[in-house]
Amino acid sequence: FIFASSIISILIAIMKKKIYDINILFSLGAKNKLIYYIFLWYSLIYIIFGIIFGTSIGLLASYYFDSIIQNFEEFLNIKIFPSNAYFINFIPVKIIYSDVLCIISLIFLLVITCSSYSIFKIIHKNSIKSILS
């Protein structure tokens, strides 16, 4: 959800900066559908790169979590899970790839839905302004 909301806020900021360009496209005779598809491609590019980088970093961090914790403990010279305080001295990590795929598809659908709504809202508001002026 945090990833999806950050992508949506980035896309809204991009669209607000591109309002001048949208007005130029309207004045050149571009239809709402063309502008909608242009910004949908923008969102798809951001989603794909975000999913690739976020998933790969998350999977690498969870796969090498034990060695990351050990290096962190050696660097700070402290024991994060001292054996006299805890029953276990590690965090069990198990990667379930079906859950990862489910989360990726849910984020993809959420961002596409929200970005489509925001694109439609900006285009509709902009087309009314360009008709009135």
PDB file of all heavy atoms in Angstrom, residues 7-23 35-36 38-40 42-43 46 111-124 126:
ATOM      1  N   ILE A   7       3.679   5.704  -5.697  1.00  0.00           N
ATOM      2  CA  ILE A   7       3.593   5.752  -7.157  1.00  0.00           C
ATOM      3  C   ILE A   7       2.469   6.677  -7.598  1.00  0.00           C
ATOM      4  O   ILE A   7       2.625   7.478  -8.527  1.00  0.00           O
ATOM      5  CB  ILE A   7       3.392   4.334  -7.735  1.00  0.00           C
ATOM      6  CG1 ILE A   7       4.628   3.473  -7.503  1.00  0.00           C
ATOM      7  CG2 ILE A   7       3.071   4.386  -9.218  1.00  0.00           C
ATOM      8  CD1 ILE A   7       5.851   3.890  -8.261  1.00  0.00           C
ATOM      9  N   ILE A   8       1.329   6.608  -6.918  1.00  0.00           N
ATOM     10  CA  ILE A   8       0.192   7.464  -7.276  1.00  0.00           C
ATOM     11  C   ILE A   8       0.546   8.929  -7.059  1.00  0.00           C
ATOM     12  O   ILE A   8       0.240   9.777  -7.897  1.00  0.00           O
ATOM     13  CB  ILE A   8      -1.048   7.050  -6.474  1.00  0.00           C
ATOM     14  CG1 ILE A   8      -1.528   5.689  -6.955  1.00  0.00           C
ATOM     15  CG2 ILE A   8      -2.168   8.080  -6.612  1.00  0.00           C
ATOM     16  CD1 ILE A   8      -2.535   5.044  -6.053  1.00  0.00           C
ATOM     17  N   SER A   9       1.201   9.247  -5.954  1.00  0.00           N
ATOM     18  CA  SER A   9       1.558  10.646  -5.704  1.00  0.00           C
ATOM     19  C   SER A   9       2.586  11.143  -6.713  1.00  0.00           C
ATOM     20  O   SER A   9       2.526  12.297  -7.138  1.00  0.00           O
ATOM     21  CB  SER A   9       2.072  10.820  -4.277  1.00  0.00           C
ATOM     22  OG  SER A   9       3.267  10.099  -4.085  1.00  0.00           O
ATOM     23  N   ILE A  10       3.498  10.286  -7.134  1.00  0.00           N
ATOM     24  CA  ILE A  10       4.465  10.669  -8.166  1.00  0.00           C
ATOM     25  C   ILE A  10       3.746  10.942  -9.479  1.00  0.00           C
ATOM     26  O   ILE A  10       4.034  11.930 -10.169  1.00  0.00           O
ATOM     27  CB  ILE A  10       5.536   9.576  -8.336  1.00  0.00           C
ATOM     28  CG1 ILE A  10       6.483   9.556  -7.151  1.00  0.00           C
ATOM     29  CG2 ILE A  10       6.327   9.781  -9.627  1.00  0.00           C
ATOM     30  CD1 ILE A  10       7.419   8.375  -7.134  1.00  0.00           C
ATOM     31  N   LEU A  11       2.793  10.091  -9.840  1.00  0.00           N
ATOM     32  CA  LEU A  11       2.059  10.280 -11.088  1.00  0.00           C
ATOM     33  C   LEU A  11       1.195  11.536 -11.066  1.00  0.00           C
ATOM     34  O   LEU A  11       1.107  12.244 -12.067  1.00  0.00           O
ATOM     35  CB  LEU A  11       1.201   9.054 -11.379  1.00  0.00           C
ATOM     36  CG  LEU A  11       1.973   7.818 -11.794  1.00  0.00           C
ATOM     37  CD1 LEU A  11       1.045   6.626 -11.843  1.00  0.00           C
ATOM     38  CD2 LEU A  11       2.619   8.038 -13.133  1.00  0.00           C
ATOM     39  N   ILE A  12       0.581  11.827  -9.937  1.00  0.00           N
ATOM     40  CA  ILE A  12      -0.225  13.046  -9.839  1.00  0.00           C
ATOM     41  C   ILE A  12       0.664  14.274  -9.956  1.00  0.00           C
ATOM     42  O   ILE A  12       0.307  15.249 -10.627  1.00  0.00           O
ATOM     43  CB  ILE A  12      -1.038  13.043  -8.535  1.00  0.00           C
ATOM     44  CG1 ILE A  12      -2.150  11.993  -8.631  1.00  0.00           C
ATOM     45  CG2 ILE A  12      -1.634  14.413  -8.246  1.00  0.00           C
ATOM     46  CD1 ILE A  12      -2.911  11.785  -7.360  1.00  0.00           C
ATOM     47  N   ALA A  13       1.840  14.227  -9.341  1.00  0.00           N
ATOM     48  CA  ALA A  13       2.764  15.354  -9.465  1.00  0.00           C
ATOM     49  C   ALA A  13       3.230  15.528 -10.905  1.00  0.00           C
ATOM     50  O   ALA A  13       3.333  16.657 -11.397  1.00  0.00           O
ATOM     51  CB  ALA A  13       3.960  15.144  -8.539  1.00  0.00           C
ATOM     52  N   ILE A  14       3.486  14.430 -11.589  1.00  0.00           N
ATOM     53  CA  ILE A  14       3.889  14.510 -12.992  1.00  0.00           C
ATOM     54  C   ILE A  14       2.770  15.094 -13.836  1.00  0.00           C
ATOM     55  O   ILE A  14       2.996  15.942 -14.701  1.00  0.00           O
ATOM     56  CB  ILE A  14       4.318  13.123 -13.515  1.00  0.00           C
ATOM     57  CG1 ILE A  14       5.669  12.733 -12.938  1.00  0.00           C
ATOM     58  CG2 ILE A  14       4.379  13.102 -15.031  1.00  0.00           C
ATOM     59  CD1 ILE A  14       6.076  11.321 -13.245  1.00  0.00           C
ATOM     60  N   MET A  15       1.535  14.639 -13.585  1.00  0.00           N
ATOM     61  CA  MET A  15       0.407  15.134 -14.369  1.00  0.00           C
ATOM     62  C   MET A  15       0.151  16.613 -14.108  1.00  0.00           C
ATOM     63  O   MET A  15      -0.199  17.352 -15.019  1.00  0.00           O
ATOM     64  CB  MET A  15      -0.842  14.315 -14.077  1.00  0.00           C
ATOM     65  CG  MET A  15      -0.825  12.969 -14.751  1.00  0.00           C
ATOM     66  SD  MET A  15      -2.351  12.101 -14.567  1.00  0.00           S
ATOM     67  CE  MET A  15      -2.169  11.454 -12.934  1.00  0.00           C
ATOM     68  N   LYS A  16       0.327  17.067 -12.873  1.00  0.00           N
ATOM     69  CA  LYS A  16       0.131  18.480 -12.583  1.00  0.00           C
ATOM     70  C   LYS A  16       1.197  19.335 -13.258  1.00  0.00           C
ATOM     71  O   LYS A  16       0.936  20.461 -13.648  1.00  0.00           O
ATOM     72  CB  LYS A  16       0.112  18.717 -11.077  1.00  0.00           C
ATOM     73  CG  LYS A  16      -1.173  18.268 -10.435  1.00  0.00           C
ATOM     74  CD  LYS A  16      -1.227  18.625  -8.987  1.00  0.00           C
ATOM     75  CE  LYS A  16      -2.555  18.171  -8.403  1.00  0.00           C
ATOM     76  NZ  LYS A  16      -2.691  18.551  -7.005  1.00  0.00           N
ATOM     77  N   LYS A  17       2.406  18.799 -13.372  1.00  0.00           N
ATOM     78  CA  LYS A  17       3.457  19.526 -14.082  1.00  0.00           C
ATOM     79  C   LYS A  17       3.228  19.515 -15.588  1.00  0.00           C
ATOM     80  O   LYS A  17       3.700  20.384 -16.297  1.00  0.00           O
ATOM     81  CB  LYS A  17       4.827  18.920 -13.765  1.00  0.00           C
ATOM     82  CG  LYS A  17       5.305  19.205 -12.377  1.00  0.00           C
ATOM     83  CD  LYS A  17       6.674  18.596 -12.153  1.00  0.00           C
ATOM     84  CE  LYS A  17       7.126  18.847 -10.734  1.00  0.00           C
ATOM     85  NZ  LYS A  17       8.441  18.264 -10.467  1.00  0.00           N
ATOM     86  N   LYS A  18       2.507  18.528 -16.071  1.00  0.00           N
ATOM     87  CA  LYS A  18       2.280  18.388 -17.511  1.00  0.00           C
ATOM     88  C   LYS A  18       0.956  18.999 -17.974  1.00  0.00           C
ATOM     89  O   LYS A  18       0.555  18.756 -19.105  1.00  0.00           O
ATOM     90  CB  LYS A  18       2.290  16.899 -17.896  1.00  0.00           C
ATOM     91  CG  LYS A  18       3.568  16.186 -17.588  1.00  0.00           C
ATOM     92  CD  LYS A  18       4.558  16.405 -18.662  1.00  0.00           C
ATOM     93  CE  LYS A  18       5.790  15.556 -18.387  1.00  0.00           C
ATOM     94  NZ  LYS A  18       6.788  15.729 -19.376  1.00  0.00           N
ATOM     95  N   ILE A  19       0.278  19.765 -17.134  1.00  0.00           N
ATOM     96  CA  ILE A  19      -0.999  20.351 -17.539  1.00  0.00           C
ATOM     97  C   ILE A  19      -0.820  21.266 -18.741  1.00  0.00           C
ATOM     98  O   ILE A  19      -1.646  21.285 -19.653  1.00  0.00           O
ATOM     99  CB  ILE A  19      -1.657  21.077 -16.339  1.00  0.00           C
ATOM    100  CG1 ILE A  19      -2.224  20.046 -15.393  1.00  0.00           C
ATOM    101  CG2 ILE A  19      -2.743  22.041 -16.789  1.00  0.00           C
ATOM    102  CD1 ILE A  19      -2.847  20.611 -14.148  1.00  0.00           C
ATOM    103  N   TYR A  20       0.282  22.012 -18.778  1.00  0.00           N
ATOM    104  CA  TYR A  20       0.566  22.869 -19.925  1.00  0.00           C
ATOM    105  C   TYR A  20       0.697  22.036 -21.204  1.00  0.00           C
ATOM    106  O   TYR A  20       0.157  22.402 -22.255  1.00  0.00           O
ATOM    107  CB  TYR A  20       1.840  23.671 -19.655  1.00  0.00           C
ATOM    108  CG  TYR A  20       2.204  24.622 -20.762  1.00  0.00           C
ATOM    109  CD1 TYR A  20       1.462  25.781 -20.987  1.00  0.00           C
ATOM    110  CD2 TYR A  20       3.293  24.360 -21.586  1.00  0.00           C
ATOM    111  CE1 TYR A  20       1.790  26.645 -21.995  1.00  0.00           C
ATOM    112  CE2 TYR A  20       3.628  25.220 -22.601  1.00  0.00           C
ATOM    113  CZ  TYR A  20       2.881  26.366 -22.801  1.00  0.00           C
ATOM    114  OH  TYR A  20       3.219  27.215 -23.801  1.00  0.00           O
ATOM    115  N   ASP A  21       1.392  20.913 -21.109  1.00  0.00           N
ATOM    116  CA  ASP A  21       1.540  20.027 -22.267  1.00  0.00           C
ATOM    117  C   ASP A  21       0.209  19.410 -22.678  1.00  0.00           C
ATOM    118  O   ASP A  21      -0.057  19.227 -23.862  1.00  0.00           O
ATOM    119  CB  ASP A  21       2.553  18.920 -21.966  1.00  0.00           C
ATOM    120  CG  ASP A  21       3.941  19.462 -21.704  1.00  0.00           C
ATOM    121  OD1 ASP A  21       4.242  20.563 -22.204  1.00  0.00           O
ATOM    122  OD2 ASP A  21       4.715  18.779 -21.013  1.00  0.00           O
ATOM    123  N   ILE A  22      -0.627  19.096 -21.688  1.00  0.00           N
ATOM    124  CA  ILE A  22      -1.950  18.549 -21.997  1.00  0.00           C
ATOM    125  C   ILE A  22      -2.778  19.586 -22.746  1.00  0.00           C
ATOM    126  O   ILE A  22      -3.458  19.259 -23.723  1.00  0.00           O
ATOM    127  CB  ILE A  22      -2.663  18.096 -20.702  1.00  0.00           C
ATOM    128  CG1 ILE A  22      -1.958  16.876 -20.108  1.00  0.00           C
ATOM    129  CG2 ILE A  22      -4.118  17.763 -20.966  1.00  0.00           C
ATOM    130  CD1 ILE A  22      -2.450  16.482 -18.736  1.00  0.00           C
ATOM    131  N   ASN A  23      -2.700  20.841 -22.310  1.00  0.00           N
ATOM    132  CA  ASN A  23      -3.438  21.895 -23.009  1.00  0.00           C
ATOM    133  C   ASN A  23      -2.937  22.076 -24.435  1.00  0.00           C
ATOM    134  O   ASN A  23      -3.724  22.326 -25.348  1.00  0.00           O
ATOM    135  CB  ASN A  23      -3.344  23.211 -22.244  1.00  0.00           C
ATOM    136  CG  ASN A  23      -4.233  23.219 -21.034  1.00  0.00           C
ATOM    137  OD1 ASN A  23      -5.255  22.544 -21.003  1.00  0.00           O
ATOM    138  ND2 ASN A  23      -3.844  23.969 -20.020  1.00  0.00           N
ATOM    139  N   ILE A  35      -4.475  11.163 -24.680  1.00  0.00           N
ATOM    140  CA  ILE A  35      -3.814  11.679 -23.487  1.00  0.00           C
ATOM    141  C   ILE A  35      -3.908  10.660 -22.350  1.00  0.00           C
ATOM    142  O   ILE A  35      -2.958  10.458 -21.594  1.00  0.00           O
ATOM    143  CB  ILE A  35      -4.418  13.038 -23.107  1.00  0.00           C
ATOM    144  CG1 ILE A  35      -4.126  14.036 -24.227  1.00  0.00           C
ATOM    145  CG2 ILE A  35      -3.870  13.545 -21.786  1.00  0.00           C
ATOM    146  CD1 ILE A  35      -4.856  15.325 -24.120  1.00  0.00           C
ATOM    147  N   TYR A  36      -5.048  10.012 -22.248  1.00  0.00           N
ATOM    148  CA  TYR A  36      -5.223   8.964 -21.241  1.00  0.00           C
ATOM    149  C   TYR A  36      -4.203   7.852 -21.446  1.00  0.00           C
ATOM    150  O   TYR A  36      -3.566   7.399 -20.486  1.00  0.00           O
ATOM    151  CB  TYR A  36      -6.647   8.421 -21.317  1.00  0.00           C
ATOM    152  CG  TYR A  36      -6.909   7.260 -20.412  1.00  0.00           C
ATOM    153  CD1 TYR A  36      -7.141   7.457 -19.058  1.00  0.00           C
ATOM    154  CD2 TYR A  36      -6.920   5.956 -20.901  1.00  0.00           C
ATOM    155  CE1 TYR A  36      -7.390   6.401 -18.218  1.00  0.00           C
ATOM    156  CE2 TYR A  36      -7.163   4.889 -20.059  1.00  0.00           C
ATOM    157  CZ  TYR A  36      -7.395   5.120 -18.727  1.00  0.00           C
ATOM    158  OH  TYR A  36      -7.626   4.064 -17.902  1.00  0.00           O
ATOM    159  N   ILE A  38      -1.314   8.025 -22.999  1.00  0.00           N
ATOM    160  CA  ILE A  38       0.048   8.512 -22.750  1.00  0.00           C
ATOM    161  C   ILE A  38       0.376   8.424 -21.265  1.00  0.00           C
ATOM    162  O   ILE A  38       1.422   7.902 -20.868  1.00  0.00           O
ATOM    163  CB  ILE A  38       0.204   9.962 -23.269  1.00  0.00           C
ATOM    164  CG1 ILE A  38       0.214   9.983 -24.794  1.00  0.00           C
ATOM    165  CG2 ILE A  38       1.484  10.593 -22.727  1.00  0.00           C
ATOM    166  CD1 ILE A  38       0.120  11.367 -25.388  1.00  0.00           C
ATOM    167  N   PHE A  39      -0.524   8.939 -20.430  1.00  0.00           N
ATOM    168  CA  PHE A  39      -0.260   8.907 -18.998  1.00  0.00           C
ATOM    169  C   PHE A  39      -0.399   7.504 -18.417  1.00  0.00           C
ATOM    170  O   PHE A  39       0.224   7.189 -17.403  1.00  0.00           O
ATOM    171  CB  PHE A  39      -1.156   9.895 -18.265  1.00  0.00           C
ATOM    172  CG  PHE A  39      -0.679  11.312 -18.431  1.00  0.00           C
ATOM    173  CD1 PHE A  39      -1.352  12.188 -19.250  1.00  0.00           C
ATOM    174  CD2 PHE A  39       0.457  11.745 -17.790  1.00  0.00           C
ATOM    175  CE1 PHE A  39      -0.911  13.480 -19.409  1.00  0.00           C
ATOM    176  CE2 PHE A  39       0.910  13.026 -17.935  1.00  0.00           C
ATOM    177  CZ  PHE A  39       0.221  13.897 -18.757  1.00  0.00           C
ATOM    178  N   LEU A  40      -1.176   6.650 -19.036  1.00  0.00           N
ATOM    179  CA  LEU A  40      -1.238   5.261 -18.603  1.00  0.00           C
ATOM    180  C   LEU A  40       0.098   4.565 -18.867  1.00  0.00           C
ATOM    181  O   LEU A  40       0.555   3.762 -18.042  1.00  0.00           O
ATOM    182  CB  LEU A  40      -2.380   4.531 -19.299  1.00  0.00           C
ATOM    183  CG  LEU A  40      -2.783   3.199 -18.711  1.00  0.00           C
ATOM    184  CD1 LEU A  40      -3.285   3.396 -17.282  1.00  0.00           C
ATOM    185  CD2 LEU A  40      -3.859   2.553 -19.541  1.00  0.00           C
ATOM    186  N   TYR A  42       2.970   6.146 -18.836  1.00  0.00           N
ATOM    187  CA  TYR A  42       3.822   6.667 -17.767  1.00  0.00           C
ATOM    188  C   TYR A  42       3.667   5.822 -16.508  1.00  0.00           C
ATOM    189  O   TYR A  42       4.652   5.406 -15.896  1.00  0.00           O
ATOM    190  CB  TYR A  42       3.434   8.107 -17.412  1.00  0.00           C
ATOM    191  CG  TYR A  42       4.216   9.176 -18.116  1.00  0.00           C
ATOM    192  CD1 TYR A  42       3.552  10.174 -18.817  1.00  0.00           C
ATOM    193  CD2 TYR A  42       5.591   9.229 -18.041  1.00  0.00           C
ATOM    194  CE1 TYR A  42       4.247  11.176 -19.450  1.00  0.00           C
ATOM    195  CE2 TYR A  42       6.295  10.226 -18.672  1.00  0.00           C
ATOM    196  CZ  TYR A  42       5.618  11.199 -19.368  1.00  0.00           C
ATOM    197  OH  TYR A  42       6.304  12.185 -19.993  1.00  0.00           O
ATOM    198  N   SER A  43       2.426   5.581 -16.099  1.00  0.00           N
ATOM    199  CA  SER A  43       2.202   4.817 -14.876  1.00  0.00           C
ATOM    200  C   SER A  43       2.681   3.379 -15.020  1.00  0.00           C
ATOM    201  O   SER A  43       3.227   2.816 -14.078  1.00  0.00           O
ATOM    202  CB  SER A  43       0.731   4.865 -14.485  1.00  0.00           C
ATOM    203  OG  SER A  43      -0.070   4.276 -15.472  1.00  0.00           O
ATOM    204  N   TYR A  46       6.477   3.336 -14.505  1.00  0.00           N
ATOM    205  CA  TYR A  46       6.815   3.471 -13.087  1.00  0.00           C
ATOM    206  C   TYR A  46       6.476   2.208 -12.301  1.00  0.00           C
ATOM    207  O   TYR A  46       7.234   1.786 -11.434  1.00  0.00           O
ATOM    208  CB  TYR A  46       6.093   4.670 -12.468  1.00  0.00           C
ATOM    209  CG  TYR A  46       6.749   5.982 -12.777  1.00  0.00           C
ATOM    210  CD1 TYR A  46       6.136   6.896 -13.609  1.00  0.00           C
ATOM    211  CD2 TYR A  46       7.979   6.317 -12.239  1.00  0.00           C
ATOM    212  CE1 TYR A  46       6.737   8.107 -13.901  1.00  0.00           C
ATOM    213  CE2 TYR A  46       8.591   7.509 -12.524  1.00  0.00           C
ATOM    214  CZ  TYR A  46       7.960   8.412 -13.350  1.00  0.00           C
ATOM    215  OH  TYR A  46       8.555   9.590 -13.638  1.00  0.00           O
ATOM    216  N   VAL A 111      -2.479   0.251  -8.308  1.00  0.00           N
ATOM    217  CA  VAL A 111      -1.866   1.436  -8.916  1.00  0.00           C
ATOM    218  C   VAL A 111      -2.513   1.742 -10.261  1.00  0.00           C
ATOM    219  O   VAL A 111      -2.767   2.911 -10.578  1.00  0.00           O
ATOM    220  CB  VAL A 111      -0.340   1.252  -9.049  1.00  0.00           C
ATOM    221  CG1 VAL A 111       0.280   2.362  -9.849  1.00  0.00           C
ATOM    222  CG2 VAL A 111       0.300   1.192  -7.689  1.00  0.00           C
ATOM    223  N   ILE A 112      -2.814   0.738 -11.067  1.00  0.00           N
ATOM    224  CA  ILE A 112      -3.474   0.983 -12.355  1.00  0.00           C
ATOM    225  C   ILE A 112      -4.847   1.598 -12.137  1.00  0.00           C
ATOM    226  O   ILE A 112      -5.228   2.558 -12.827  1.00  0.00           O
ATOM    227  CB  ILE A 112      -3.576  -0.326 -13.172  1.00  0.00           C
ATOM    228  CG1 ILE A 112      -2.216  -0.721 -13.717  1.00  0.00           C
ATOM    229  CG2 ILE A 112      -4.564  -0.197 -14.308  1.00  0.00           C
ATOM    230  CD1 ILE A 112      -1.661   0.224 -14.756  1.00  0.00           C
ATOM    231  N   THR A 113      -5.597   1.084 -11.193  1.00  0.00           N
ATOM    232  CA  THR A 113      -6.933   1.626 -10.924  1.00  0.00           C
ATOM    233  C   THR A 113      -6.859   3.071 -10.444  1.00  0.00           C
ATOM    234  O   THR A 113      -7.566   3.943 -10.961  1.00  0.00           O
ATOM    235  CB  THR A 113      -7.656   0.764  -9.871  1.00  0.00           C
ATOM    236  OG1 THR A 113      -7.692  -0.582 -10.328  1.00  0.00           O
ATOM    237  CG2 THR A 113      -9.055   1.272  -9.627  1.00  0.00           C
ATOM    238  N   CYS A 114      -6.010   3.333  -9.478  1.00  0.00           N
ATOM    239  CA  CYS A 114      -5.912   4.690  -8.932  1.00  0.00           C
ATOM    240  C   CYS A 114      -5.319   5.673  -9.931  1.00  0.00           C
ATOM    241  O   CYS A 114      -5.761   6.820 -10.012  1.00  0.00           O
ATOM    242  CB  CYS A 114      -5.088   4.678  -7.651  1.00  0.00           C
ATOM    243  SG  CYS A 114      -5.888   3.797  -6.320  1.00  0.00           S
ATOM    244  N   SER A 115      -4.328   5.247 -10.692  1.00  0.00           N
ATOM    245  CA  SER A 115      -3.756   6.160 -11.684  1.00  0.00           C
ATOM    246  C   SER A 115      -4.735   6.409 -12.822  1.00  0.00           C
ATOM    247  O   SER A 115      -4.799   7.525 -13.350  1.00  0.00           O
ATOM    248  CB  SER A 115      -2.427   5.629 -12.209  1.00  0.00           C
ATOM    249  OG  SER A 115      -2.618   4.424 -12.905  1.00  0.00           O
ATOM    250  N   SER A 116      -5.522   5.409 -13.200  1.00  0.00           N
ATOM    251  CA  SER A 116      -6.537   5.624 -14.232  1.00  0.00           C
ATOM    252  C   SER A 116      -7.566   6.640 -13.776  1.00  0.00           C
ATOM    253  O   SER A 116      -7.968   7.517 -14.538  1.00  0.00           O
ATOM    254  CB  SER A 116      -7.240   4.317 -14.585  1.00  0.00           C
ATOM    255  OG  SER A 116      -6.344   3.403 -15.134  1.00  0.00           O
ATOM    256  N   TYR A 117      -7.980   6.541 -12.511  1.00  0.00           N
ATOM    257  CA  TYR A 117      -8.937   7.498 -11.979  1.00  0.00           C
ATOM    258  C   TYR A 117      -8.349   8.908 -11.955  1.00  0.00           C
ATOM    259  O   TYR A 117      -9.011   9.875 -12.341  1.00  0.00           O
ATOM    260  CB  TYR A 117      -9.375   7.081 -10.581  1.00  0.00           C
ATOM    261  CG  TYR A 117     -10.253   8.105  -9.920  1.00  0.00           C
ATOM    262  CD1 TYR A 117     -11.558   8.309 -10.347  1.00  0.00           C
ATOM    263  CD2 TYR A 117      -9.772   8.883  -8.877  1.00  0.00           C
ATOM    264  CE1 TYR A 117     -12.364   9.253  -9.753  1.00  0.00           C
ATOM    265  CE2 TYR A 117     -10.564   9.831  -8.272  1.00  0.00           C
ATOM    266  CZ  TYR A 117     -11.849  10.012  -8.714  1.00  0.00           C
ATOM    267  OH  TYR A 117     -12.635  10.957  -8.120  1.00  0.00           O
ATOM    268  N   SER A 118      -7.100   9.030 -11.497  1.00  0.00           N
ATOM    269  CA  SER A 118      -6.499  10.367 -11.424  1.00  0.00           C
ATOM    270  C   SER A 118      -6.250  10.936 -12.820  1.00  0.00           C
ATOM    271  O   SER A 118      -6.408  12.143 -13.029  1.00  0.00           O
ATOM    272  CB  SER A 118      -5.208  10.327 -10.613  1.00  0.00           C
ATOM    273  OG  SER A 118      -4.271   9.475 -11.219  1.00  0.00           O
ATOM    274  N   ILE A 119      -5.882  10.101 -13.783  1.00  0.00           N
ATOM    275  CA  ILE A 119      -5.698  10.568 -15.156  1.00  0.00           C
ATOM    276  C   ILE A 119      -7.030  11.043 -15.722  1.00  0.00           C
ATOM    277  O   ILE A 119      -7.108  12.118 -16.330  1.00  0.00           O
ATOM    278  CB  ILE A 119      -5.104   9.440 -16.036  1.00  0.00           C
ATOM    279  CG1 ILE A 119      -3.676   9.123 -15.637  1.00  0.00           C
ATOM    280  CG2 ILE A 119      -5.146   9.832 -17.511  1.00  0.00           C
ATOM    281  CD1 ILE A 119      -3.153   7.850 -16.244  1.00  0.00           C
ATOM    282  N   PHE A 120      -8.081  10.274 -15.510  1.00  0.00           N
ATOM    283  CA  PHE A 120      -9.403  10.659 -16.001  1.00  0.00           C
ATOM    284  C   PHE A 120      -9.855  11.975 -15.371  1.00  0.00           C
ATOM    285  O   PHE A 120     -10.415  12.841 -16.045  1.00  0.00           O
ATOM    286  CB  PHE A 120     -10.409   9.553 -15.695  1.00  0.00           C
ATOM    287  CG  PHE A 120     -11.803   9.880 -16.131  1.00  0.00           C
ATOM    288  CD1 PHE A 120     -12.138   9.861 -17.472  1.00  0.00           C
ATOM    289  CD2 PHE A 120     -12.760  10.223 -15.202  1.00  0.00           C
ATOM    290  CE1 PHE A 120     -13.419  10.173 -17.885  1.00  0.00           C
ATOM    291  CE2 PHE A 120     -14.037  10.530 -15.600  1.00  0.00           C
ATOM    292  CZ  PHE A 120     -14.373  10.509 -16.943  1.00  0.00           C
ATOM    293  N   LYS A 121      -9.583  12.137 -14.090  1.00  0.00           N
ATOM    294  CA  LYS A 121      -9.969  13.355 -13.384  1.00  0.00           C
ATOM    295  C   LYS A 121      -9.227  14.572 -13.938  1.00  0.00           C
ATOM    296  O   LYS A 121      -9.827  15.620 -14.170  1.00  0.00           O
ATOM    297  CB  LYS A 121      -9.679  13.169 -11.895  1.00  0.00           C
ATOM    298  CG  LYS A 121     -10.229  14.229 -11.007  1.00  0.00           C
ATOM    299  CD  LYS A 121      -9.986  13.849  -9.565  1.00  0.00           C
ATOM    300  CE  LYS A 121     -10.390  14.959  -8.638  1.00  0.00           C
ATOM    301  NZ  LYS A 121     -10.074  14.643  -7.258  1.00  0.00           N
ATOM    302  N   ILE A 122      -7.926  14.457 -14.157  1.00  0.00           N
ATOM    303  CA  ILE A 122      -7.130  15.569 -14.691  1.00  0.00           C
ATOM    304  C   ILE A 122      -7.574  15.894 -16.116  1.00  0.00           C
ATOM    305  O   ILE A 122      -7.728  17.061 -16.474  1.00  0.00           O
ATOM    306  CB  ILE A 122      -5.622  15.218 -14.671  1.00  0.00           C
ATOM    307  CG1 ILE A 122      -5.122  15.119 -13.248  1.00  0.00           C
ATOM    308  CG2 ILE A 122      -4.818  16.208 -15.453  1.00  0.00           C
ATOM    309  CD1 ILE A 122      -4.825  16.417 -12.564  1.00  0.00           C
ATOM    310  N   ILE A 123      -7.790  14.886 -16.937  1.00  0.00           N
ATOM    311  CA  ILE A 123      -8.193  15.122 -18.330  1.00  0.00           C
ATOM    312  C   ILE A 123      -9.569  15.776 -18.384  1.00  0.00           C
ATOM    313  O   ILE A 123      -9.785  16.719 -19.143  1.00  0.00           O
ATOM    314  CB  ILE A 123      -8.169  13.809 -19.134  1.00  0.00           C
ATOM    315  CG1 ILE A 123      -6.736  13.377 -19.394  1.00  0.00           C
ATOM    316  CG2 ILE A 123      -8.883  13.963 -20.460  1.00  0.00           C
ATOM    317  CD1 ILE A 123      -6.619  12.025 -20.037  1.00  0.00           C
ATOM    318  N   HIS A 124     -10.493  15.295 -17.591  1.00  0.00           N
ATOM    319  CA  HIS A 124     -11.843  15.857 -17.598  1.00  0.00           C
ATOM    320  C   HIS A 124     -11.821  17.311 -17.129  1.00  0.00           C
ATOM    321  O   HIS A 124     -12.464  18.170 -17.726  1.00  0.00           O
ATOM    322  CB  HIS A 124     -12.761  15.029 -16.706  1.00  0.00           C
ATOM    323  CG  HIS A 124     -14.170  15.521 -16.691  1.00  0.00           C
ATOM    324  ND1 HIS A 124     -14.971  15.472 -17.810  1.00  0.00           N
ATOM    325  CD2 HIS A 124     -14.906  16.087 -15.700  1.00  0.00           C
ATOM    326  CE1 HIS A 124     -16.146  15.984 -17.514  1.00  0.00           C
ATOM    327  NE2 HIS A 124     -16.135  16.365 -16.223  1.00  0.00           N
ATOM    328  N   ASN A 126      -9.283  19.326 -17.266  1.00  0.00           N
ATOM    329  CA  ASN A 126      -8.542  20.102 -18.242  1.00  0.00           C
ATOM    330  C   ASN A 126      -9.355  20.343 -19.504  1.00  0.00           C
ATOM    331  O   ASN A 126      -9.268  21.399 -20.103  1.00  0.00           O
ATOM    332  CB  ASN A 126      -7.240  19.387 -18.591  1.00  0.00           C
ATOM    333  CG  ASN A 126      -6.064  20.300 -18.508  1.00  0.00           C
ATOM    334  OD1 ASN A 126      -6.180  21.392 -17.981  1.00  0.00           O
ATOM    335  ND2 ASN A 126      -4.947  19.833 -19.005  1.00  0.00           N
TER     336      ASN A 126
END
